[in-house]
Amino acid sequence: MNWLLPRLLAGVMAMLAGGVIGFIVSNAEQTLLWRVLVGGGAGVAIVALLDTLRGYRLINWLRGNQDQQAPRDAGFWGELGYRVERSIRLREQGLAQERLRLEQFLSAIEASPNGVLMLDENDQIVWCNSVAADHFGLDPLRDRRQRVTNLVRAPAFVAYLQAEVHTEAVNFPTPRGNGVLSVLLRPYGEGMRLVLSQDITDRERNEAMRRDFVANVSHEIRTPLTVLAGFIETMTHLQLTEVERKRVLELMTQQTQRMQTLVSDLLTLAQLEGSPRPAADRWVPLAPLLAQVEADARALSAGRHLLTVSGGTGVQIAGSSSELHSAVNNLVSNAVRYTPEGGRIDVTWQELPDGSGELAVSDTGVGIEREHIPRLTERFYRVDGSRSRDTGGTGLGLSIVKHVVQRHGAELDIQSEPGKGSRFRLVFPAARVRVAIEAA
Ligand code: ADP
């Protein structure tokens, strides 16, 4: 109210001053009252005009975007302008803070590894993060306000949105058809709905692999067990000659060995998957390792192949001796098993110009068709199942090799031509290879 008194005083002063001036300047023919009234009225009119001008300036400022300061007048209009401006600035500050908070909130949702899609009561898209856009094949800006079921037409998704209860998530193929999405719906606000999506392609693939693995292991174990059970029954109920008995026991031993090899390979795989990577500063001398592999291969080949081993003297590889032995042994025993009698098998080591090292196992065996090569390292993948089993294979050898290679930061390269032979190369990075300075 500090503007009221000065304003009243200004009015009274203007009236008085106007009255006095009117009295002095008017001619004597007019009455005194008339002269004072006309003078006072003129004074008040001047004050009203000034007031109107100030009010006009304030209204003009209010009509604009209020970027500039409000007109700084004294008195009534000054205080009004100041208070209006202050409340506008406070509201602007509040809005800026709200906007910042909203942006922080949205960028937190944006950072989520899961998709978040907000739908209004008509299932129109209100907002979605980029993960959801990717999952559902949406454009976050262009598709705003669009009905989601017009854009995502997967029947399972549409049925799920229309269902009454959404306690469980629903899985359906991604719109691009190269994966699986898991979607969960949660209501919020008034009729709004939040769609949370997760790409479960890897999880599903792992689950399928696990199921296949269990089925394969069961199958691999059941076959020798069935054979053994048959032999036991035969021996229990039939009188066998000494020759027959020997033959049956031989076959039983073979089946038992097959199961032993399978279990041993399974344990090796489990160990490879469950243990930390081999140390990069544990140096394994290659020569004794190759000598051991050569001895095993000669025993397996029993003189049916021409076998050579070259290179590797003084070379050391950083890693696990048993794992490296297992990998090379698998490659060489495969070469023996898949190379017909009279064939040639060469195991070579050479340092490459960039410091890395290559251990290659080449054979002149049956070879492998091109389309099988990418799948050879899958567990239980066999090109020729009966040949593999007949020669004591488990279908796990190259899977073990792949694990060992990965754990040593190395690479496995397979080249093969059907009928001509195969070449399996293990390339170890320079950091894991060193050539020891030979003692004089
Ligand atoms: P397996 O115990 O059956 O030999 P592996 O995982 O070692 O299993 O090999 C997978 C498949 O790759 C084999 O079944 C075989 O068909 C093929 N294979 C592996 N090594 C060779 C090779 N040197 N020559 C031809 N085929 C091979």
Side-chain angles (χ1 to χ4, degrees), residues 334-335 337-338 363 366-368 376 381-384 388 393-399 422 424:
N334 276 356
R337 288 167 43 233
Y338 297 105
D363 64 56
V366 293
I368 307 156
L376 291 182
Y381 188 85
R382 293 165 163 119
V383 178
D384 178 350
S388 159
T394 58
L396 296 173
L398 289 180
S399 184
S422 315
F424 290 75

Side-chain angles (χ1 to χ4, degrees), residues 234-235 237-250:
T234 310
M235 291 183 87
H237 295 107
L238 291 180
Q239 279 291 332
L240 300 178
T241 63
E242 189 55 25
V243 179
E244 286 169 337
R245 203 178 68 86
K246 260 193 174 162
R247 176 75 191 129
V248 166
L249 283 176
E250 225 171 70

Side-chain angles (χ1 to χ4, degrees), residues 143-157:
D143 294 336
R144 220 169 259 187
R145 296 272 139 231
Q146 296 283 326
R147 216 187 164 88
V148 70
T149 42
N150 291 343
L151 303 167
V152 184
R153 291 170 183 272
F157 177 70

Side-chain angles (χ1 to χ4, degrees), residues 156 169-173 180-183 200 203-204:
V170 66
N171 297 351
F172 64 93
V180 186
L181 277 186
S182 170
V183 165
I200 55 163
R203 203 167 78 195
E204 288 284 297

